Amino acid sequence: MARYLLLKHHRGAPAPVNDVRMDRWTPEERAAHVQYTEDFAARLEASGEYVESQAISPQGTFVRSDGEGRPPVTGGPFAETKDLIAGWMVVDVETYERALELAAELSAAPGAGGRPIQEWLEVRPFFTAMPTVTE
């Protein structure tokens, strides 16, 4: 088994087919989307393929050290994760192809008008061992 991250983006990925931002959905449309995702996760939990998932808040700050004894530095001239990442699901599956299959199914969650969003999800494998660097 291998773990994969199915990463949902606010922006930065190609536009989905049903490209209506969630803040413009009705409460019923949001509820249907959440229910689809919860049902999807429950099915994967039953099959042993589910690890975890989270939707994340748009609030956030980049932070780095500015040296010992100095206050942390925040912000920067770059896109912040809060603008890019909407949430994720981690799956533990037999093959990369299965991870792609699950991401495609999750992409079909309903959105505005009850139509599938068909959003782009990023599929990334977890390292099983750190790669060897030879330079």
Side-chain angles (χ1 to χ4, degrees):
M1 299 287 276
R3 288 189 177 187
Y4 291 88
L5 176 68
L6 311 183
L7 191 57
K8 296 175 69 75
H9 293 271
H10 280 300
R11 64 183 184 125
V17 173
N18 186 355
D19 193 16
V20 178
R21 289 189 350 223
M22 189 179 270
D23 62 355
R24 295 188 178 151
W25 297 0
T26 66
E28 295 79 17
E29 290 166 342
R30 281 192 295 276
H33 180 82
V34 168
Q35 188 63 57
Y36 180 97
T37 304
E38 288 174 353
D39 292 347
F40 181 78
R43 224 172 10 89
L44 295 183
E45 191 168 17
S47 71
E49 296 174 306
Y50 178 82
V51 177
E52 65 118 352
S53 58
Q54 292 292 320
I56 56 175
S57 168
Q59 289 78 32
T61 304
F62 269 100
V63 177
R64 73 168 174 84
S65 166
D66 198 28
E68 190 174 329
R70 300 187 64 165
V73 177
T74 61
F78 35 75
E80 296 193 38
T81 305
K82 67 183 178 185
D83 296 328
L84 301 176
I85 308 300
W88 66 82
M89 180 175 287
V90 178
V91 296
D92 194 1
V93 294
E94 291 290 336
T95 64
Y96 176 70
E97 290 73 21
R98 177 63 176 155
L100 296 178
E101 179 182 301
L102 293 175
E105 187 176 341
L106 184 57
S107 167
R115 295 182 320 276
I117 299 171
Q118 292 180 282
E119 66 184 321
W120 291 91
L121 298 176
E122 185 176 355
V123 178
R124 297 184 64 181
F126 282 74
F127 278 129
T128 54
M130 290 303 291
T132 302
V133 177
T134 56
E135 288 185 12

